[in-house]
Amino acid sequence: MRKLDAKTWNKLKVLGDQQGAMKINDLASELQLEVEDTLAFLRQVFPEGKGAVVYENEGECWVDFSAGSLQYMLPVSPSEWTFLQNLLDMAPLTSYEDPAYELLRKKLHDDVPLNTMMQILSQIDSWDQDISHTDQLLVNALDEAVKSHQNLSVKTIDDKSFCIFACKVLHLEGQLTLIAEDSGDHCLMVIPLKQIQSCEVVEKTGLPRVTNFEIEEFITAVRSMNEKETRLILKIYNPQAVNLFPDHHFLGKPCMVTNPEGDLIWAAYVEPCHDLFDWVYSLSHHVEILDPTNFKEQYFSYLEDKMRKIA
């Protein structure tokens, strides 16, 4: 394929933006060509005469463009598609001023076949999850205990027993975890759900004393020790259409502000994990990852790994 120079690409862009009929003189002016050169260029771009019909009307020369006459089909693999999305997300701010950038970004996010494939990938990923129906019942019971401030008797698989108040169920170090307050000394503890063998409600022997602020500080401290926390910044295009508070995720110091263009900027300290990446994907074209770059890289790598499962 012959390499086109920048001027030719600009002329093709002008043609691609035209729809309907216009005078050849006006088109020549936009292309910065003479009329004869414009006609020659049209014959070069549309050699079979399809997509642009030249005719005379009342002594003037016209050209009629048909919709989609200069659209391109580009076959790409799933990994190439993901890479293209990554390039668009990392484009410089000046790209946002070009309508073609926004249209391309929307096409990539709205593509029906790709979204269907990603839904299949999501189902495949759920097969890999080792949370059984019984485990889900445990999560539901613990969520209810958190809301109702129930006193629980918990036994772990290594035969340890605790009397606790459930504080929060969240993803911590890549697995679902219970943050709990010991009913006796009121210290906070971390219990991975995989370690819980049994859990039952018992008669209250007191009331929980730990405040929400202390729970948040405790979670932040645990994350800080593991060095897995990052400040995620998202641009939300349609806040009413998405869930901005994912279940079982701790959002440290969350904030939401509106920029001068009316877009919502969402930010919070999060722990990157597979479930969080799935939440970001569920936001679809309503969201754009602004920062940090390493979160973007982890997110796209995660999607690529999922795609390989059906390759």
Side-chain angles (χ1 to χ4, degrees):
M1 178 180 178
R2 182 171 60 88
K3 185 176 180 181
L4 301 179
D5 57 31
K7 290 183 179 180
T8 303
W9 278 119
N10 288 334
K11 290 178 174 57
L12 284 173
K13 184 177 183 299
V14 170
L15 290 184
D17 291 338
Q18 305 301 326
Q19 297 298 339
M22 68 183 304
K23 295 179 181 179
I24 287 292
N25 287 335
D26 294 337
L27 179 60
S29 178
E30 288 198 37
L31 294 176
Q32 299 180 352
L33 294 173
E34 298 295 331
V35 170
E36 290 301 321
D37 292 333
T38 299
L39 291 172
F41 186 64
L42 288 174
R43 287 193 293 270
Q44 178 185 359
V45 177
F46 307 99
E48 299 180 2
K50 296 179 181 179
V53 178
V54 179
Y55 61 95
E56 285 194 13
N57 182 24
E58 297 181 355
E60 291 189 286
C61 189
W62 289 69
V63 59
D64 192 354
F65 293 97
S66 61
S69 58
L70 275 177
Q71 292 188 356
Y72 297 89
M73 299 297 293
L74 182 64
V76 293
S77 67
S79 60
E80 290 168 341
W81 190 292
T82 302
F83 184 75
L84 181 57
Q85 285 183 313
N86 194 15
L87 287 179
L88 285 177
D89 287 338
M90 299 177 67
L93 293 177
T94 52
S95 301
Y96 292 74
E97 301 172 2
D98 191 336
Y101 166 83
E102 182 58 29
L103 288 172
L104 179 58
R105 196 186 69 83
K106 191 174 187 301
K107 284 182 179 180
L108 287 175
H109 286 286
D110 288 353
D111 183 81
V112 175
L114 182 68
N115 286 339
T116 300
M117 181 182 66
M118 292 308 296
Q119 290 173 7
I120 295 174
L121 289 174
S122 179
Q123 294 176 3
I124 291 175
D125 187 63
S126 67
W127 300 339
D128 294 337
Q129 300 292 329
D130 49 6
I131 180 168
S132 64
H133 176 67
T134 302
D135 293 330
Q136 187 59 58
L137 292 177
L138 174 60
V139 172
N140 295 342
L142 291 174
D143 283 340
E144 180 58 34
V146 171
K147 294 178 183 177
S148 306
H149 303 291
Q150 296 172 340
N151 199 4
L152 302 176
S153 175
V154 173
K155 184 177 181 179
T156 64
I157 57 177
D158 54 359
D159 290 328
K160 293 182 180 179
S161 298
F162 303 97
C163 190
I164 61 156
F165 291 106
C167 299
K168 195 173 185 66
V169 178
L170 77 159
H171 289 271
L172 194 63
E173 295 186 300
Q175 60 181 330
L176 278 170
T177 302
L178 172 65
I179 304 299
E181 174 187 348
D182 189 285
S183 300
D185 60 19
H186 298 282
C187 291
L188 287 170
M189 64 178 68
V190 175
I191 308 176
L193 264 59
K194 290 181 179 180
Q195 296 295 317
I196 297 178
Q197 184 177 41
S198 64
C199 175
E200 60 180 14
V201 179
V202 296
E203 184 178 351
K204 287 186 178 181
T205 56
L207 295 173
R209 298 181 186 176
V210 177
T211 65
N212 288 333
F213 175 78
E214 290 171 323
I215 295 171
E216 293 182 4
E217 289 294 298
F218 177 77
I219 296 172
T220 300
V222 173
R223 281 183 173 176
S224 177
M225 288 188 293
N226 297 330
E227 297 183 348
K228 291 186 177 181
E229 189 173 66
T230 187
R231 186 69 171 175
L232 178 61
I233 303 176
L234 306 174
K235 180 188 287 188
I236 310 295
Y237 293 100
N238 188 0
Q240 291 76 24
V242 296
N243 170 28
L244 298 178
F245 301 94
D247 294 333
H248 303 126
H249 286 279
F250 174 67
L251 306 179
K253 294 181 171 57
C255 73
M256 290 184 285
V257 296
T258 303
N259 64 14
E261 287 73 33
D263 299 316
L264 180 68
I265 305 301
W266 178 102
Y269 285 101
V270 300
E271 179 186 311
C273 65
H274 290 181
D275 193 80
L276 186 69
F277 295 149
D278 284 336
W279 169 70
V280 173
Y281 176 75
S282 72
L283 301 180
S284 186
H285 61 279
H286 299 299
V287 68
E288 176 185 345
I289 303 172
L290 297 182
D291 201 60
T293 301
N294 63 342
F295 183 92
K296 285 186 184 181
E297 294 171 350
Q298 292 178 56
Y299 173 67
F300 286 112
S301 294
Y302 173 65
L303 295 182
E304 286 181 348
D305 287 340
K306 293 178 71 173
M307 289 175 183
R308 291 192 189 99
K309 294 180 181 180
I310 63 172

